[in-house]
Amino acid sequence: MNAYERDYSHLTVISEDTRALLGYLNIPRLRSMLQNGTVCETDHVEKAMQKFQRSGRTYKVITMDTPLEELEAFFAGGVDGVGSQSFAVVTDGNRRFVLGVATKDDLEEFVRRRPA
């Protein structure tokens, strides 16, 4: 599992055909599922991934141009201000391509290392 070796906490899952965002793998959750036998390493990713709900949900678009203050607010209050979020999927402005994943820890580390 390269995700363990590279210290990832979340990985996005996209469609091979359309590149549409299908869901994500929460690596600590995946590790637990592997340990308790819920999934095995030969299973398809779909068995372990958490799917995004397409209908009835509004998702906050996070891009490379999103201000850090807005990203911090997203982590603190979530999409609708009701619940905190542990990660954000970073996309292009048109939401066609997944560029990466940012976590609250990533943001805190960036702020800590940034020169004053």
Side-chain angles (χ1 to χ4, degrees):
M1 290 272 328
N2 285 337
Y4 297 149
E5 296 166 7
R6 304 205 186 230
D7 206 25
Y8 292 126
S9 59
H10 296 83
L11 295 173
T12 57
V13 179
I14 60 172
S15 166
E16 186 175 2
D17 299 325
T18 65
R19 296 184 49 96
L21 185 60
L22 302 176
Y24 64 96
L25 290 171
N26 177 317
I27 300 306
R29 178 177 175 266
L30 175 59
R31 182 178 288 143
S32 174
M33 292 173 77
L34 286 166
Q35 287 173 348
N36 70 28
T38 306
V39 297
C40 62
E41 290 188 14
T42 57
D43 287 336
H44 291 273
V45 169
E46 184 177 29
K47 188 170 181 181
M49 80 175 192
Q50 294 174 267
K51 296 178 183 176
F52 287 113
Q53 297 175 347
R54 299 261 181 225
S55 60
R57 294 281 314 252
T58 301
Y59 288 97
K60 171 76 177 147
V61 178
I62 304 291
T63 70
M64 297 294 283
D65 296 325
T66 299
L68 295 178
E69 295 82 11
E70 194 173 317
L71 182 60
E72 180 180 36
F74 173 79
F75 289 140
V79 176
D80 51 12
V82 174
S84 63
Q85 301 294 316
S86 59
F87 75 101
V89 176
V90 181
T91 66
D92 68 303
N94 296 325
R95 296 173 49 183
R96 293 188 60 197
F97 301 105
V98 175
L99 302 176
V101 173
T103 66
K104 185 176 181 179
D105 290 341
D106 292 335
L107 180 60
E108 289 171 355
E109 181 68 13
F110 173 79
V111 170
R112 187 181 67 75
R113 290 183 176 199
R114 189 166 76 178

